[in-house]
Amino acid sequence: MLTQEAIKNQKAWESLDLSDSERQEYQDFLASNDEKEIEDAFGSMLEFGTGGLRGVMGPGPNRMNRFTIGRATQGLSDYIRRSFSGKELSVAIAYDSRNGSPEFASVAANIFSANGIKVFLFDTLRPTPELSFAIRHLGCQSGVVVTASHNPPEYNGYKVYWEDGAQIIFPQDQEIISTINSLGFDQVKFEGQAELIEMVGEDLDKDYLEFLKGLLPDDWEPQKQPRIVFSSLHGTGITMVPRILEKAGFTDFHVVEEQSEPDGNFPTVKSPNPEERSALELGLKKAKEIDADLLMATDPDSDRVGIAIKDSQGEFILLNGNQTGALLFHFLLEINRKWIEAEPSKFFTVKTIV
């Protein structure tokens, strides 16, 4: 039997300005699901956490849909306007290959613009790290990525970033959550202002690639050409990783073609998590076939990487996050050695534990 909260939320949902397709989706959901699923979808509100929203797509206040995305975006808009009063405001929006991501990104863009905030919306899917760069490069106050990271296909999500290009932290997270929780779905401004939405793409890509190249020493070139296999696991990595490798001087890299097409159903993997060996099976097969030195794969929004290298017996082993981090840190120390040795007091390391 449904709780009183679920019944109340159902009635409220039916009173919303649902489109014909949304109303049909709602009716189909009621007809094809048991009380447990209906209770889960309507018995509570999808919580906005430290990083944002993440949940199963579908109708109801505890699902990812136009209204839950809208309420979060309206709350974020209110908070941005309050935090940067008197300033010309802008946000950047990116999205991944998941089902519904382009539509959710468009919903968010319309709501920001309806609140007088200029929007830089990527013209197609892009990696989360490029969104982080775009916020800083374009001077935005905030940014959003529509993604559920490495979750299964039925999920989607909404990550929020601040003006420094990093995900929101205390106290912004709690203040944004409080603002969102004060809103009803009927308070969302869905009607956008097209003149405040600017599409961005290739020009920003070029700036991003130049920025990344600038992180390497002027005299940088690979000491050898490792044979690299790369898989995007049907996600955004395919849009930039091959270009980044080429820009960094790596020429012997090979894409796992079976997983190169962006696809929100992730048809070749159980879960698009590159840190799980099962997601790397096709990549490992290709790496063995061409005698590669390194396999790497990215998750749908490309802020997570899985790496496999050969052990002393020539068998591929997966690195964990700590090992990958240690190798990256070692690399940074090596390429900056002459500056570190010249002025050691100017260099320091910051470590966090999540």
Side-chain angles (χ1 to χ4, degrees):
M1 187 172 179
L2 296 179
T3 62
Q4 288 301 309
E5 184 70 13
I7 294 169
K8 182 186 77 172
N9 286 339
Q10 265 194 273
K11 290 180 180 178
W13 196 261
E14 291 167 0
S15 70
L16 294 175
D17 185 20
L18 300 174
S19 67
D20 290 343
S21 60
E22 287 169 335
R23 195 165 295 280
Q24 186 62 54
E25 181 188 35
Y26 170 63
Q27 295 297 335
D28 291 345
F29 175 78
L30 295 183
S32 61
N33 287 279
D34 57 24
E35 282 192 352
K36 183 178 179 182
E37 280 296 307
I38 297 170
E39 176 68 36
D40 187 61
F42 288 90
S44 60
M45 300 288 280
L46 187 63
E47 291 187 5
F48 189 98
T50 300
L53 297 171
R54 189 174 298 183
V56 174
M57 291 179 281
N62 194 35
R63 293 287 188 265
M64 285 291 297
N65 51 62
R66 178 168 69 97
F67 293 96
T68 51
I69 285 275
R71 181 169 173 261
T73 306
Q74 183 63 54
L76 179 57
S77 297
D78 293 347
Y79 183 74
I80 291 170
R81 288 166 59 87
R82 189 165 68 241
S83 299
F84 299 97
S85 178
K87 286 190 176 182
E88 191 171 324
L89 304 176
S90 64
V91 299
I93 302 176
Y95 57 91
D96 71 1
S97 60
R98 287 180 175 275
N99 299 325
S101 286
E103 293 81 6
F104 288 154
S106 179
V107 167
N110 283 330
I111 294 167
F112 282 126
S113 68
N115 285 275
I117 300 171
K118 182 174 177 59
V119 178
F120 295 100
L121 174 63
F122 277 96
D123 56 10
T124 187
L125 69 168
R126 288 296 193 284
T128 289
E130 188 172 357
L131 181 281
S132 180
F133 166 79
I135 292 170
R136 303 190 305 273
H137 187 67
L138 299 171
C140 299
Q141 283 71 45
S142 183
V144 167
V145 182
V146 179
T147 176
S149 192
H150 55 282
N151 280 69
E154 62 270 23
Y155 282 78
N156 214 321
Y158 180 97
K159 295 180 182 177
V160 178
Y161 291 74
W162 207 234
E163 62 179 336
D164 57 359
Q167 282 190 270
I168 53 172
I169 58 172
F170 183 85
Q172 284 94 356
D173 58 347
Q174 296 304 309
E175 293 167 354
I176 291 170
I177 289 168
S178 177
T179 304
I180 293 170
N181 287 343
S182 70
L183 295 172
F185 292 123
D186 58 348
Q187 294 174 275
V188 179
K189 300 175 183 177
F190 283 107
E191 297 299 323
Q193 299 185 55
E195 66 274 14
L196 289 181
I197 301 174
E198 179 179 337
M199 306 303 288
V200 294
E202 181 59 25
D203 288 344
L204 190 59
D205 292 344
K206 291 177 180 177
D207 291 339
Y208 181 49
L209 288 167
E210 286 301 317
F211 166 76
L212 293 177
K213 187 178 180 182
L215 298 176
L216 298 171
D218 293 337
D219 59 353
W220 160 260
E221 63 178 62
Q223 294 179 359
K224 69 169 190 173
Q225 280 293 343
R227 181 164 294 167
I228 302 168
V229 170
F230 167 67
S231 174
S232 58
L233 299 182
H234 305 288
T236 62
I238 198 64
T239 66
M240 291 303 294
V241 172
R243 298 177 70 180
I244 292 168
L245 289 172
E246 187 175 11
K247 195 78 171 177
F250 296 101
T251 57
D252 192 1
F253 60 87
H254 307 262
V255 172
V256 180
E257 295 297 341
E258 301 97 318
Q259 297 176 326
S260 65
E261 186 69 27
D263 189 334
N265 295 314
F266 310 111
T268 64
V269 295
K270 290 182 179 179
S271 174
N273 184 350
E275 292 182 298
E276 295 179 1
R277 192 176 186 91
S278 61
L280 302 182
E281 290 303 326
L282 285 174
L284 289 168
K285 179 182 176 183
K286 187 176 185 72
K288 292 172 184 176
E289 286 175 354
I290 67 171
D291 192 27
D293 300 295
L294 171 75
L295 164 67
M296 63 186 219
T298 49
D299 70 336
D301 68 318
S302 299
D303 65 355
R304 175 177 296 223
V305 64
I307 294 176
I309 59 173
K310 288 179 179 176
D311 63 15
S312 58
Q313 305 301 313
E315 295 296 322
F316 279 96
I317 58 171
L318 270 61
L319 301 182
N320 61 38
N322 291 333
Q323 291 168 325
T324 300
L327 287 170
L328 286 170
F329 183 52
H330 175 76
F331 172 74
L332 290 172
L333 290 176
E334 285 298 312
I335 66 172
N336 291 290
R337 179 184 291 275
K338 61 183 178 182
W339 292 283
I340 295 171
E341 291 178 344
E343 298 182 274
S345 63
K346 288 189 175 182
F347 293 85
F348 60 92
T349 302
V350 176
K351 180 183 70 136
T352 71
I353 297 174
V354 177

